[in-house]
Amino acid sequence: MTQHDIRASLYAPLRVLLYENEHGKTCVEYDKPSSLFGQFGNAKVTDVATMLDRKMEQLVAKAIQ
């Protein structure tokens, strides 16, 4: 993404927080890539960010199985 808009480097790499809450449940927190990178108004960056949204959702779904 940074080759299309250097400002994208403000949010890459993505950050993910994994923790156990007070009830013993595992929690996964992250900002959707499309919300972070969509602000730049660059279709190429947005396309990659949307793809990352799907990959993150798949990763979380797999992790909580």
Side-chain angles (χ1 to χ4, degrees):
M1 288 183 283
T2 58
Q3 66 187 0
H4 303 299
D5 192 322
I6 192 64
R7 297 174 298 169
S9 60
L10 288 169
Y11 304 105
L14 299 174
R15 294 180 184 193
V16 177
L17 174 64
L18 298 169
Y19 64 96
E20 184 177 297
N21 70 13
E22 62 275 1
H23 303 291
K25 183 177 178 182
T26 300
C27 300
V28 181
E29 301 279 344
Y30 65 94
D31 291 321
K32 281 183 74 172
S34 60
S35 67
L36 296 171
F37 298 111
Q39 67 183 306
F40 301 118
N42 183 315
K44 291 180 179 180
V45 173
T46 300
D47 288 345
V48 174
T50 302
M51 179 265 305
L52 288 173
D53 284 350
R54 288 190 302 271
K55 287 189 176 223
M56 290 297 294
E57 289 167 5
Q58 291 169 354
L59 178 67
V60 169
K62 186 90 169 166
I64 62 173
Q65 286 183 349

